[in-house]
Amino acid sequence: ANHFEMVAKVLERITGKPVDVEALLAAEAKGGGAKGARILESMDKDDRLALHLYQFIAEGRAARVWNRMAQVCPDPMIASTYGKIAADEEVHREFGRAGLEQMIKSEADMKRASDLADQIRYELYEVSCMNCVEVPEARALCVEAYGSAYSKH
């Protein structure tokens, strides 16, 4: 919720209007939005490898996105807020990385992690597609990097 409140302050700065954080949090709790957290919610809570992998991939992705937004934002307050969110996401990514180092002990573990990573990456891609406008160049990069499954959506 801390990130949510930080983004609310950014929205207030951009729009000049107050944001009802409680109402937004209540709407968020009802679901329906396309978010990476839906992937986490669908995972077996006892599958530590999957959970660490999700942390590493999703939180790492989030850190890169927030960092990039901080770098290109001309407003110092907004850029600073985005940078703080990015730093927090980096900590979460490191939790995932450390967990993976402990969990992956064999070739079979590595294979399972690789297969799960493909699945998580694709599901995050789908979430991004649902939240964004189509950018053919971005889709082409994904197809080149990860295969033809990324050509559909």
Side-chain angles (χ1 to χ4, degrees), residues 71-147:
Q71 291 168 359
V72 300
C73 183
D75 183 297
M77 177 271 187
I78 296 172
S80 173
T81 299
Y82 289 168
K84 289 174 186 172
I85 295 171
D88 188 56
E89 300 295 358
E90 289 169 358
V91 170
H92 297 178
R93 179 201 63 217
E94 282 303 299
F95 290 151
R97 183 196 56 75
L100 288 172
E101 285 181 354
Q102 293 175 4
M103 298 295 301
I104 299 176
K105 301 292 184 193
S106 68
E107 287 296 318
D109 293 340
M110 181 60 81
K111 169 78 169 110
R112 181 162 178 270
S114 179
D115 291 345
L116 278 170
D118 288 344
Q119 177 186 343
I120 291 168
R121 207 173 24 251
Y122 184 75
E123 289 177 11
L124 287 168
Y125 169 78
E126 282 191 320
V127 167
S128 293
C129 288
M130 287 185 262
N131 286 326
C132 301
V133 296
E134 172 71 20
V135 179
E137 295 84 359
R139 185 177 301 278
L141 286 171
C142 289
V143 169
E144 181 181 335
Y146 304 119

Side-chain angles (χ1 to χ4, degrees), residues 23-91:
L24 290 173
L25 285 172
E28 181 76 12
K30 291 180 184 175
K35 294 171 191 56
R38 76 176 184 162
I39 300 163
L40 184 60
E41 291 165 359
S42 70
M43 291 179 166
D44 177 354
K45 302 302 181 246
D46 294 323
D47 187 349
R48 291 185 51 220
L49 177 66
L51 296 173
H52 289 304
L53 193 60
Y54 174 84
Q55 261 191 315
F56 182 70
I57 294 171
E59 307 290 1
R61 175 180 175 260
R64 288 187 300 279
V65 170
W66 287 111
N67 265 322
R68 184 63 184 145
M69 291 191 306
Q71 291 168 359
V72 300
C73 183
D75 183 297
M77 177 271 187
I78 296 172
S80 173
T81 299
Y82 289 168
K84 289 174 186 172
I85 295 171
D88 188 56
E89 300 295 358
E90 289 169 358
V91 170

